[in-house]
Amino acid sequence: MANQTTVTEFFLLGLASEPKLRFVLFGMFVIVYSITLMGNVIILMLIWLDSQLHTPMYFFLSNLSFVDIWYITSIIPQLLANLWIPKKTISFAGCVVIMTGL
């Protein structure tokens, strides 16, 4: 039998080890996440509601807003969870999902 070690999770050793700094970073990322999410939702709603904005330029702008919502919603919640909880790990599947943006 050979050693058959498999990777099931990664340990994240990055942002902050001090509790006060983790709370400051958590607050800043929550604020930036909320502003970004609200701004993109407002852009999508305005384009959808105003018939004068149904042009190709605004179609692509709405797609850009949708993709931005998609990406920040797949990445930022994991970052916030890792700032909040003491166990800083991510599963291999979770890492693949974040890296591919699924």
Side-chain angles (χ1 to χ4, degrees):
M1 274 315 269
N3 185 5
Q4 297 180 357
T5 305
T6 59
V7 176
T8 59
E9 62 185 12
F10 296 107
F11 293 101
L12 303 173
L13 303 172
L15 290 173
S17 58
E18 295 182 25
K20 289 182 182 180
L21 183 59
R22 283 191 296 141
F23 290 127
V24 170
L25 287 174
F26 182 84
M28 286 175 32
F29 280 118
V30 164
I31 291 169
V32 170
Y33 176 65
S34 301
I35 290 170
T36 305
L37 197 62
M38 283 189 305
N40 285 314
V41 167
I42 289 170
I43 288 172
L44 286 174
M45 285 177 34
L46 288 175
I47 292 172
W48 184 65
L49 291 175
D50 191 355
S51 62
Q52 292 179 350
L53 300 179
H54 293 178
T55 62
M57 181 180 77
Y58 289 103
F59 171 74
F60 289 117
L61 184 64
S62 63
N63 283 334
L64 183 64
S65 292
F66 177 76
V67 168
D68 192 29
I69 290 171
W70 185 276
Y71 282 139
I72 64 169
T73 304
S74 67
I75 294 171
I76 299 297
Q78 180 68 40
L79 172 74
L80 294 174
N82 285 325
L83 283 172
W84 191 259
I85 59 175
K87 182 182 176 189
K88 298 184 182 328
T89 60
I90 185 171
S91 67
F92 182 73
C95 184
V96 169
V97 167
I98 287 176
M99 293 300 290
T100 59
L102 297 174

